Amino acid sequence: FYNDSIFWIDVDKIKPNPYQPRKEFDQTALQALSDSIRQYGVLQALVVTRNEVVKEDGGIATEYELIAGERRLRASKLAGIREVPCLIKTGEDNNLMKLELAIIENVQREDLNPVDRARSFQRLVEEFGFKHITIGEKIGKSREYVSNSLRLLSLPSDILDALSAGKISEGHARPLMMLNDRPEEQSTLFKEIMFRKLTVREAEMIARKIAVEKVRKKTFEGDPEMAEIEEKIAETLGT
């Protein structure tokens, strides 16, 4: 950081972080933060990078790009605050740093919904080649936590939309994932969760029952002895 000093920067000069993993911002919570900032000010500095760009007239202009603190920036604008305290991150300005710090801040504050969290992990894997265990170490979580988050992205878009909007919980998503290879049953269970307000435990019991029936059917169909018995019974009964 630039001498670890706090700089007061005009909010209109700060560009958003293109790697911000968070897509949804709760307006009620944002308004509450705005009211707090209006009364007490911004208590924690934002983190930005500083760039100098050449203008059309040949002059030099300074631009800042946000790394961490988008909620504080949005709430400050809502509160009519003109300047906010910032730490300026210097050194190598790269996209990985922007994504990493934005993800870490959001995960530490538990501000990301499960879908945005999973998609941010996916970007670290696909764009930067991170292993699940490495992501876990950076955010203070286990490898299993990261892997389970990424598995959420195997769900259909309508279920992901409901999870993102908080209409179903991450706990509900687990039994739905058990039925990824049974799309009709998965869709039915999803509707039951939505309309009948099933608990996570109830959803898990239904998903397990469907999975067990599938295994039984597969075993029955693939067992030659059972098939022979079935044929004899059919001949005897004429059915």
Side-chain angles (χ1 to χ4, degrees), residues 32-226:
L33 179 58
S34 173
D35 294 341
S36 174
I37 286 175
R38 189 180 293 110
Q39 184 172 359
Y40 300 108
V42 180
L43 300 181
Q44 183 180 0
L46 288 66
V47 180
V48 299
T49 56
R50 182 178 183 274
N51 301 304
E52 290 185 348
V53 294
V54 179
K55 298 191 295 185
E56 292 182 0
D57 60 5
I60 301 293
T62 301
E63 288 184 349
Y64 301 92
E65 191 169 276
L66 190 66
I67 296 178
E70 184 153 344
R71 280 185 73 247
R72 277 164 280 159
L73 180 62
R74 290 186 181 217
S76 296
K77 288 181 178 180
L78 197 61
I81 303 296
R82 292 183 58 189
E83 293 181 332
V84 288
C86 298
L87 281 167
I88 299 176
K89 187 80 171 70
T90 58
E92 186 181 357
D93 176 19
N94 60 62
N95 296 331
L96 174 59
M97 177 192 70
K98 294 173 188 174
L99 178 59
E100 269 192 57
L101 290 180
I103 289 172
I104 289 167
E105 183 195 39
N106 279 292
V107 170
Q108 286 178 345
R109 292 171 175 271
E110 298 185 349
D111 279 345
L112 287 177
N113 68 56
V115 180
D116 283 348
R117 184 184 70 222
R119 286 174 176 154
S120 67
F121 290 167
Q122 186 180 44
R123 292 188 73 175
L124 286 173
V125 171
E126 293 181 353
E127 296 181 30
F128 303 104
F130 276 33
K131 296 185 182 298
H132 295 188
I133 191 169
T134 306
I135 298 172
E137 288 170 350
K138 286 182 176 294
I139 62 172
K141 301 286 185 179
S142 67
R143 180 192 61 77
E144 290 77 10
Y145 175 87
V146 176
S147 300
N148 289 335
S149 289
L150 286 164
R151 285 183 62 230
L152 293 172
L153 300 180
S154 66
L155 290 167
S157 58
D158 57 337
I159 298 178
L160 287 177
D161 289 344
L163 180 58
S164 179
K167 294 178 180 177
I168 64 173
S169 71
E170 193 168 357
H172 286 116
R174 287 193 293 270
L176 288 168
M177 283 190 290
M178 292 170 60
L179 304 176
N180 273 347
D181 58 345
R182 305 286 292 274
E184 290 185 9
E185 286 92 337
Q186 185 184 62
S187 178
T188 300
L189 178 56
F190 171 55
K191 290 172 183 174
E192 290 284 294
I193 292 171
M194 290 287 289
F195 297 115
R196 289 181 53 199
K197 307 298 182 186
L198 296 182
T199 66
V200 171
R201 183 173 176 79
E202 289 169 338
E204 287 176 344
M205 289 174 65
I206 293 172
R208 286 198 188 100
K209 185 178 180 182
I210 294 172
V212 168
E213 286 175 354
K214 177 188 174 184
V215 171
R216 282 179 178 167
K217 185 177 180 182
K218 186 176 180 181
T219 303
F220 178 78
E221 290 176 345
D223 188 338
E225 290 184 10
M226 192 65 73

